[in-house]
């Protein structure tokens, strides 16, 4: 029977396909009863998983041999020994045989038993082995699940990605030609997983707590990224309704795509630069550079997160040069490494923090580890010789942080000049405005910054005290809050007064319902995932500057988020519907 699960609408669109579970934790794993005649086949799955994990470990050991000491590399020997331990393998097999449970469950039980034994030991070195065991268990389950999901993903069929979270490192795994939708147990509309889904143009629903328990790999489902609904085992009637929706969606998309090559101007000729956000070099591959003003935000950390160790300076130069070449002379804004908080870096050990989002992250972390900053800025400088590069600093809280970064930049420029390495001496240094306290001190910061870019995803999270990753409070994360709009106005006024450019690179820049208001507040540069560009352009071309200013003034005077939303529904939505001709879309 069809079951409807409600979550958070994270990326627009509808998708119909079988669900495939992507997860590698030991917490919830697929569970089934093994039939009497299937025990041997079930036990035989272990060997394949052991081989895969052993191969990965040896490869990792080999890759890291240059950068880790002899002692550290031996950790992998200990893991390989556990993996090949005959008693361990026999115990797992016995668990399947005696209790008729699938291999994933047997592994989970045996690991938990062994862990208990190690954890009770006096010797701290032996207690440490418990962590190795857990890690091996996680990898084995991961390998088993990967083999299962390949049955659905390797044969060129469409599928829906389901997992606890959608992580930046997952983006590299996906078969983009066949992934049709994303559904996750955790996250909010502004978490990085949701941002990624939107930038990939994949319909997504996040924050359905029960999704991994309620669904199973291979089950047919509908992801409705507009309404934030997932329907498991849909009825024939549901399927017919959604097939119709898909047809309408395609017609609307065609209408919107017509504006692609038209100028980004209001009907009275006010130009607004529409830039693209990029999560990595591969985003530039299919990008229509002719229709963008440049790259307004290159999130360099995503490339760092997909790797197993820090990229060297030369490796970074290669990546940044590729981005510069892809942008064909248009500006590329490289944001320096923004890890920490909700973006952990697997190979860089960070302390446990109670409030990571208020902790060691962004430029704070890089200034404490100047090597990271030096290497990255040097690499960006070297790539800058190819065109127009800009450097953007994340999570800036004080003027002194910008001063220190400028000193680093000046020092690096002097070094490069002395050694005859080419770079752009005029490279601009910009500041992200995402920590609220920076707003009142902007008049002090702007003289030493070349530009500012507003990171509304974090700015709104900090202004509203709402964790952007927490689905329980996701409803309250609403950038239409009049307080947020007033702060955005303050930033635009400060930048325009100082004669510095101010752009918005958070998600609201790509949300067409905001476009007239942002223009009315004084923004002339918006940077967004390229998929949103046609919608934003169509909206921009629908309201004159005077209309935008009138709407912004009215929104600023409102006393509640609801009132601002009503204004958008009553004044902006009807004109949008007229423009679409073929369909009606609601404000979300
Ligand atoms: C932001 O905070 O708005 C932003 C653009 O950065 P990120 O989403 O990567 O934190
Ligand atoms: Mg941010």
């Amino acid at each position: 029977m069809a079951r409807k699960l409600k979550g958070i609408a994270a990326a627009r669109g509808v998708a119909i396909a079988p669900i495939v579970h992507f997860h590698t934790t030991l917490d919830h794993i697929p569970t089934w009863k093994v039939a009497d005649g299937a025990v041997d086949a079930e036990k035989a799955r272990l060997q394949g998983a052991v081989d895969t994990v052993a191969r990965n470990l040896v490869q990792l050991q080999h890759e890291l041999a240059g950068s880790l000491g002899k002692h550290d590399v031996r950790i992998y020997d200990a893991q390989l020994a556990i993996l090949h331990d005959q008693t361990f393998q026999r115990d797992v097999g016995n668990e399947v045989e005696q209790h008729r449970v699938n291999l994933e469950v047997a592994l989970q039980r045996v690991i938990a038993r062994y862990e208990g034994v190690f954890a009770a030991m006096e010797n701290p070195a032996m207690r440490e082995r418990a962590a190795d065991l857990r890690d091996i268990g996680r990898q084995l389950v991961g390998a088993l699940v990967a083999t299962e999901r390949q049955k659905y993903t390797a044969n060129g069929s469409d599928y829906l990605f389901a997992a606890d979270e959608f992580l930046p490192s997952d983006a590299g795994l996906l078969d983009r030609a066949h992934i049709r939708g994303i559904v996750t147990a955790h996250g909010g509309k502004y978490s990085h997983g949701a941002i990624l889904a939107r930038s990939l143009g994949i319909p997504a629903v996040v924050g359905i707590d029960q999704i991994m328990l309620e669904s199973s790999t291979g089950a047919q489902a509908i992801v409705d990224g507009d309404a934030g609904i997932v329907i498991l085992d849909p009825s024939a009637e549901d399927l017919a309704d959604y097939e119709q929706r898909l047809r309408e969606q395609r017609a609307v998309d065609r209408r919107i795509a017509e504006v692609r090559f038209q100028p980004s101007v209001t009907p009275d000729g006010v130009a607004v630069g529409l830039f693209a956000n990029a999560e990595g070099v591969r985003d530039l591959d299919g990008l229509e550079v002719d229709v963008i003003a440049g790259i307004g935000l290159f999130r360099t950390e995503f490339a760092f997160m997909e790797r197993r160790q820090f990229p060297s300076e030369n490796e970074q130069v290669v990546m940044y040069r590729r981005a510069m070449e892809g942008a064909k002379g248009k500006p590329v804004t490289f944001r320096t490494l923004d890890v920490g908080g909700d973006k952990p870096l697997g190979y860089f050990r960070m302390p446990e923090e109670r409030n990571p989002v208020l902790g060691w992250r962004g430029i704070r972390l890089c200034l404490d580890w100047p090597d990271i900053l030096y290497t990255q800025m040097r690499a960006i400088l070297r790539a800058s010789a190819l065109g127009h590069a800009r450097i953007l600093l994340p999570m800036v809280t004080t003027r002194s942080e910008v001063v220190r970064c400028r000193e680093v930049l000046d020092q690096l420029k002097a070094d490069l000049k002395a050694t005859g390495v080419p770079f752009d001496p005029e490279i601009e240094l910009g500041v992200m405005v995402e920590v609220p306290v920076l707003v009142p001190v902007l008049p002090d910061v702007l003289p030493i910054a070349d530009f500012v870019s507003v990171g509304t995803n974090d700015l709104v999270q900090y202004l509203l005290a709402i964790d952007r990753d927490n689905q329980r409070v996701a409803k309250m994360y609403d950038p239409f809050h009049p307080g947020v709009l007033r702060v955005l106005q303050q930033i635009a006024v400060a930048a325009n007064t100082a004669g510095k450019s101010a752009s918005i690179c958070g998600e609201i820049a790509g949300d067409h319902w905001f476009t007239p208001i942002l223009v009315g507040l004084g923004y002339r540069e918006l940077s967004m995932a390229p998929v949103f560009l046609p919608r934003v352009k169509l909206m921009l071309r629908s309201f004159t500057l005077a209309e935008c200013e009138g709407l912004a003034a009215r929104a600023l005077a409102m006393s509640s988020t609801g009132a601002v939303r009503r204004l958008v529904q009553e004044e902006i939505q009807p004109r949008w519907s007229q423009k679409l001709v073929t369909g009606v879309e609601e404000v979300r």
Side-chain angles (χ1 to χ4, degrees):
M1 226 206 17
R3 278 160 301 151
K4 207 180 251 190
L5 307 177
K6 179 82 186 102
I8 299 160
R12 69 169 58 251
V14 166
I16 308 171
I19 285 221
V20 176
H21 281 188
F22 282 72
H23 53 191
T24 48
T25 68
L26 286 177
D27 296 343
H28 47 240
I29 53 180
T31 305
W32 66 87
K33 198 95 194 125
V34 177
D36 287 348
V39 170
D40 286 342
E42 186 60 21
K43 280 162 66 177
R45 290 172 62 218
L46 183 60
Q47 198 50 53
V50 165
D51 292 347
T52 307
V53 174
R55 237 186 349 263
N56 290 345
L57 283 174
V58 170
Q59 192 191 339
L60 194 59
Q61 196 172 27
H62 182 72
E63 275 175 26
L64 298 183
S67 50
L68 290 183
K70 270 206 175 88
H71 174 76
D72 296 323
V73 174
R74 254 184 264 130
I75 295 169
Y76 297 105
D77 289 333
Q79 292 206 342
L80 284 164
I82 299 173
L83 193 60
H84 292 301
D85 186 281
Q86 292 301 308
T87 315
F88 168 64
Q89 293 192 9
R90 205 172 323 113
D91 284 352
V92 175
N94 287 345
E95 192 69 29
V96 174
E97 185 138 6
Q98 286 164 15
H99 302 283
R100 296 289 192 265
V101 290
N102 55 311
L103 208 51
E104 290 85 346
V105 171
L107 270 166
Q108 188 190 39
R109 289 184 185 173
V110 172
I111 298 267
R113 251 188 345 252
Y114 277 34
E115 247 193 289
V117 175
F118 279 113
M121 285 185 178
E122 296 260 316
N123 181 341
M126 291 310 277
R127 283 205 301 272
E128 284 280 312
R129 299 292 295 277
D132 279 334
L133 257 170
R134 226 179 4 257
D135 197 24
I136 283 293
R138 188 185 56 76
Q139 293 177 64
L140 282 170
V141 170
L144 290 169
V145 173
T147 310
E148 269 311 285
R149 74 176 171 241
Q150 264 172 13
K151 289 185 195 159
Y152 297 90
T153 57
N155 60 1
S157 324
D158 293 345
Y159 64 90
L160 304 172
F161 171 104
D164 279 339
E165 294 178 89
F166 180 53
L167 301 170
S169 48
D170 291 324
L173 292 177
L174 301 177
D175 164 7
R176 293 219 197 157
H178 294 104
I179 176 165
R180 286 285 162 264
I182 291 172
V183 46
T184 65
H186 305 315
K189 185 175 169 189
Y190 295 90
S191 14
H192 286 95
I195 293 176
L196 259 177
R198 285 195 287 276
S199 70
L200 294 168
I202 303 173
V205 177
V206 300
I208 301 188
D209 275 343
Q210 296 298 308
I211 190 67
M212 299 305 278
L213 294 175
E214 294 273 340
S215 65
S216 54
T217 289
Q220 182 80 355
I222 296 172
V223 166
D224 180 344
D226 298 322
I229 287 169
V230 171
I231 305 176
L232 299 174
D233 303 314
S235 64
E237 205 175 307
D238 292 329
L239 285 170
D241 280 355
Y242 275 95
E243 298 282 2
Q244 173 61 20
R245 281 271 301 278
L246 271 173
R247 279 191 289 276
E248 284 170 13
Q249 185 180 306
R250 284 186 205 117
V252 169
D253 287 346
R254 272 197 299 277
R255 166 73 189 99
I256 290 169
E258 284 167 15
V259 299
R260 258 191 12 260
F261 293 102
Q262 292 173 5
S264 307
V265 288
T266 59
D268 50 336
V270 177
V272 176
L274 301 185
F275 291 71
N277 287 356
E279 262 78 65
V281 176
R282 66 172 165 256
D283 287 354
L284 294 162
D285 291 345
L287 190 65
E288 287 179 307
V289 181
D290 297 344
V291 305
I292 58 166
I295 305 291
L297 171 67
F298 190 107
R299 288 182 163 98
T300 61
E301 62 276 5
F302 283 35
F304 282 62
M305 290 163 85
E306 284 178 19
R307 300 170 52 95
R308 290 172 170 179
Q309 53 184 324
F310 276 106
S312 66
E313 180 183 320
N314 282 342
E315 284 170 324
Q316 291 190 51
V317 172
V318 170
M319 171 167 81
Y320 304 147
R321 279 192 182 140
R322 274 194 58 200
M324 301 287 294
E325 281 159 7
K328 299 196 181 126
K330 295 193 171 168
V332 182
T333 314
F334 293 104
R335 180 170 72 182
T336 59
L337 191 68
D338 186 22
V339 290
D342 48 348
K343 284 181 279 191
L345 199 55
Y347 47 85
F348 183 69
R349 195 180 283 259
M350 302 193 198
E352 274 286 299
E353 292 181 310
R354 240 172 112 157
N355 275 316
V357 169
L358 303 181
W360 204 45
R361 54 176 306 194
I363 203 64
R364 303 169 186 177
L365 185 151
C366 288
L367 283 169
D368 286 348
W369 281 83
D371 270 6
I372 302 176
L373 190 65
Y374 281 36
T375 310
Q376 186 169 31
M377 278 197 177
R378 231 182 103 90
I380 299 173
L381 274 170
R382 284 174 56 193
S384 72
L386 283 189
H388 186 174
R390 313 202 291 180
I391 298 177
L392 180 60
L393 307 173
M395 289 298 296
V396 170
T397 313
T398 63
R399 181 182 187 276
S400 62
E401 290 167 336
V402 188
V403 170
R404 285 166 65 198
C405 291
R406 261 221 184 274
E407 284 166 3
V408 172
L409 189 63
D410 289 342
Q411 181 61 52
L412 288 168
K413 282 186 188 174
D415 292 350
L416 290 174
K417 195 167 170 203
T419 47
V421 179
F423 65 95
D424 173 9
E426 304 297 321
I427 193 166
E428 295 159 80
L429 183 69
V431 170
M432 283 200 70
V433 185
E434 46 187 350
V435 177
V437 78
L438 205 66
V439 180
V441 299
L442 273 177
D444 302 321
V445 174
L446 280 160
I448 56 165
D450 296 312
F451 65 98
V452 292
S453 187
V454 191
T456 47
N457 306 337
D458 278 314
L459 182 64
V460 173
Q461 133 165 293
Y462 294 129
L463 283 171
L464 300 181
I466 295 289
D467 179 349
R468 62 194 262 197
D469 273 333
N470 183 341
Q471 66 264 34
R472 281 195 187 78
V473 284
K475 270 207 188 84
M476 293 168 72
Y477 185 114
D478 196 331
F480 276 124
H481 191 301
V484 171
L485 301 182
R486 288 173 211 177
V487 170
L488 290 178
Q489 183 194 37
Q490 232 182 312
I491 300 168
V493 168
N496 293 340
T497 309
K500 300 285 166 80
S501 83
S503 71
I504 295 188
C505 63
E507 290 297 288
I508 64 169
D511 183 340
H512 57 292
W513 300 122
F514 272 92
T515 310
I517 296 180
L518 296 180
V519 173
L521 291 175
Y523 289 93
R524 296 292 175 270
E525 286 184 16
L526 302 173
S527 190
M528 66 205 77
V531 280
F532 300 130
L533 222 122
R535 279 192 144 70
V536 170
K537 196 190 281 186
L538 182 58
M539 194 62 106
L540 177 69
R541 295 176 58 80
S542 310
F543 289 86
T544 63
L545 180 61
E547 286 174 322
C548 292
E549 287 176 344
L551 284 163
R554 286 168 67 193
L556 286 167
M558 297 291 182
S559 58
S560 74
T561 308
V564 178
R565 281 192 169 272
R566 272 193 299 283
L567 175 74
V568 177
Q569 276 154 359
E570 285 161 17
E571 306 285 331
I572 299 178
Q573 188 178 317
R575 198 169 304 176
W576 179 250
S577 301
Q578 272 168 23
K579 285 271 169 178
L580 286 189
V581 187
T582 46
V584 177
E585 289 187 350
E586 284 170 25
V587 180
R588 299 217 182 257

